[in-house]
Amino acid sequence: MSWTLTEDHLEDLARGAAVLGTGGGGDPYVGRLLVREAIREYGPVTVLDPDDLDDDALVIPTAQMGAPTVVHEKLPNGAEPELALRALEKHLGAKADATMPIECGGINSMIPLVVGARLGLPVVDADGMGRAFPELQMETFGVYGVPGSPMGIAGERGETAVIDTGADNRRMEWLARGVTIRLGGVAHIAEYSMSGADVKRTAVPRTLSLALSVGRAIRLAREENADPIAALATALGDTLYSHLRVLFRGKVSDVERRTEEGFARGRAAAVSFDGEHKLEILFQNENLVALVDGEVRCLVPDLICVLEAESAEPITTETLRYGQRVTVAGISTPPLMRTPEALATFGPAAFGLAHDFVPVEVAS
Amino acid sequence: MSWTLTEDHLEDLARGAAVLGTGGGGDPYVGRLLVREAIREYGPVTVLDPDDLDDDALVIPTAQMGAPTVVHEKLPNGAEPELALRALEKHLGAKADATMPIECGGINSMIPLVVGARLGLPVVDADGMGRAFPELQMETFGVYGVPGSPMGIAGERGETAVIDTGADNRRMEWLARGVTIRLGGVAHIAEYSMSGADVKRTAVPRTLSLALSVGRAIRLAREENADPIAALATALGDTLYSHLRVLFRGKVSDVERRTEEGFARGRAAAVSFDGEHKLEILFQNENLVALVDGEVRCLVPDLICVLEAESAEPITTETLRYGQRVTVAGISTPPLMRTPEALATFGPAAFGLAHDFVPVEVAS
């Protein structure tokens, strides 16, 4: 079902998107402010159910690209993603009928909404990761045959680039990352332009609605003094993300984080409240693997969500710090993200991890 | 006067272009082979005198971009510059009437001839540096108001990018260098698209003809057992490059060279044959400054040409090595390259050198 997004939805949506962002996808506070300003200036946004999308509509997803550690210090002015879209439209010689997120996250669920508000375009309720991933080729779109190229990139000073690497989405990521680094570590992009039929075939559906319901469930539980983690599990129960498993509860004891090659990479450690158990998480923008006492408990592409222990507020990798009291949840990804071709693109091996993928609901 | 370039011209042209390349602009042997193959397959090339160019013709210069140290090991396949041109043409929605070099050099005088042969386009007898410079903003085109953007870039695997930084040619260089590094250190480009009227107004004229006559003068002197350096001075005498001064004769005693940030940077030292004097040259792809016994004798944008002592064969910065017997010549650049606005773009300060520009003919 299509619906209209207003300012009232933003807090829940940003929180929920940040949960699904699994540590990446950008700061929900920044994302919320960006959409709020756009809605105040240009009016509410139509969120279009994939079922309501014409098969021959032209959909051009928009996003922010860069290391979250940089985004955290360098806020967009709001016009960049529109500029990236315009550059790509000029190249294609066609106008977008709608935009769409490429991933879930505190910022990247929001950027298309900014574009939608500013340009009066509907935003398709779907994305290409069903969570956040750090690299542009890690898209269900690409896994199921939609090329990322040509892609538009825009910088904060109005620079644009249009990159075309044909069917090679990894090469596109490689070149676009180089441009993004030169633009100061953050850029805005338009890529994976596709038909409505391709959206229906390749996208993870209704992830904006999901983010909204997840964010709302957490808020309502807090207001009712109920357990927000339990509420989150309930909200996910009858969606494509049906399994939630609490992996760990404890205190962050160490965070090692570096911005390199345009990514925020590092690891975090936590100790259980009774001091008996240890958690280790590795991340590249997003959380990649969670080990408890040395045993793998959850792995990409399943979601590893670090939540503030009392409130279930999601904590992104760039804001993790010593002493935080956290609950770490593993959440199962939708079936189209666990096929062999999907795992080849964004499973553990794609990140250089030696572990075979094991669904979180069956892991030790 | 326009003329037809055939295979017979290539050896002289490549040598002369490498002299004007002042240490950069690429390997003349590789450049010669590329054009030879193109002429053999597609036929000779029309070299168009700027006076014969329609004011409203669309001219799109083409070139190779990258560190000469990389180009030396990674040969182009010949199709890349055409691909860069096509990408830019698509973006502009217009077809080039001619191409043109952006600089003089063993490869970059040749790339437009490859394009000309392959596409049947005339090549304008002019360029935007009157020598070689390492960075894309260092063009008389830009100095006199023609923007480098939008520019097309192509890689060896058929990747393309179109970059647009508006009027900011330094920013264009910065982003294009990032892409070139990601493409492996060498790329091919099409930029500074302009009208015939702009060519006449902003380009250094007849530098292909000049390279040919310089290369021929050196060859003829060798064949006649005459002094090739004297012949070079005579060939330049009644051109825009009227002053040639021998700065040093001696043996290369040290070369320090590194490929960093997409450039070949370093320094070379030489000792005079009598052991009494020392030469030092600093380079960034091209030779930037020549000091004899610590005194500046020649500075960018004047040309510092390292020539093999017996034959006057030009030695590029990537092939400089210990033990070479060399004559180092300083050559004055044309007046339009010595104006205050030109010196601001490619004078000593643009390379971080502390010295003020002093014309080679009046230096100590």
Side-chain angles (χ1 to χ4, degrees), chain B residues 190-277:
Chain B
E191 53 164 6
Y192 289 98
S193 63
M194 69 183 95
S195 69
D198 278 337
V199 171
K200 294 170 197 176
R201 188 173 61 79
T202 70
V204 185
R206 297 180 191 86
T207 46
L208 283 172
S209 295
L210 177 67
L212 182 60
S213 77
V214 159
R216 182 188 288 138
I218 292 173
R219 175 175 53 82
L220 291 176
R222 287 180 199 165
E223 289 172 7
E224 294 157 7
N225 287 318
D227 177 359
I229 305 282
L232 172 59
T234 305
L236 292 168
D238 54 359
T239 72
L240 295 169
Y241 300 70
S242 45
H243 302 278
L244 179 148
R245 201 168 160 181
V246 172
L247 306 174
F248 197 80
R249 297 180 201 269
K251 233 170 104 173
V252 177
S253 57
D254 196 25
V255 180
E256 180 199 319
R257 186 168 39 224
R258 53 201 188 280
T259 303
E260 60 176 21
E261 298 174 43
F263 297 106
R265 286 203 173 99
R267 61 180 67 217
V271 179
S272 62
F273 294 123
D274 63 9
E276 298 281 306
H277 302 287

Side-chain angles (χ1 to χ4, degrees), chain A residues 131 243 245 247 288-291 295-304 330-334 337-339 343 346-349 353-364:
Chain A
R131 48 166 287 164
H243 302 278
R245 199 168 161 181
L247 305 174
L288 301 179
V289 57
L291 300 103
E295 295 273 315
V296 171
R297 299 294 300 280
C298 192
L299 262 175
V300 275
D302 281 348
L303 283 65
I304 298 162
I331 298 173
S332 60
T333 41
M337 297 181 60
R338 288 171 160 189
T339 63
L343 292 176
F346 45 62
L353 299 174
H355 317 284
D356 288 330
F357 176 69
V358 181
V360 64
E361 63 272 25
V362 302
S364 62

Side-chain angles (χ1 to χ4, degrees), chain A residues 243-262:
Chain A
H243 302 278
L244 180 146
R245 199 168 161 181
V246 172
L247 305 174
F248 198 80
R249 298 181 200 267
K251 231 170 105 173
V252 176
S253 56
D254 195 25
V255 180
E256 180 200 319
R257 182 167 43 225
R258 54 199 188 280
T259 304
E260 60 176 23
E261 299 173 39

Side-chain angles (χ1 to χ4, degrees), chain B residues 88-101:
Chain B
L88 182 55
E89 284 181 334
K90 176 178 185 331
H91 181 85
L92 295 171
K95 289 278 184 190
D97 298 306
T99 185
M100 181 167 69

Side-chain angles (χ1 to χ4, degrees), chain A residues 5 31 33-46 62 75-86 89 95-96 98-99 110-123 154-156 158 188:
Chain A
L5 178 104
L33 292 187
L34 286 170
V35 187
R36 193 186 69 184
E37 291 314 299
I39 286 179
R40 284 186 184 175
E41 190 170 348
Y42 300 93
V45 182
T46 299
T62 46
L75 302 184
N77 64 43
E80 302 97 329
E82 179 183 332
L83 191 61
L85 180 80
R86 291 305 192 208
E89 284 181 334
K95 290 279 183 188
T99 186
M110 298 305 197
I111 291 293
L113 297 169
V114 173
V115 173
R118 294 175 67 104
L119 301 181
L121 283 180
V123 178
E156 61 182 346
H188 288 75

Side-chain angles (χ1 to χ4, degrees), chain A residues 6-26:
Chain A
T6 67
E7 199 179 322
D8 295 339
H9 294 109
L10 294 180
E11 196 180 325
D12 290 340
L13 179 65
R15 180 185 308 110
V19 171
L20 299 175
T22 186

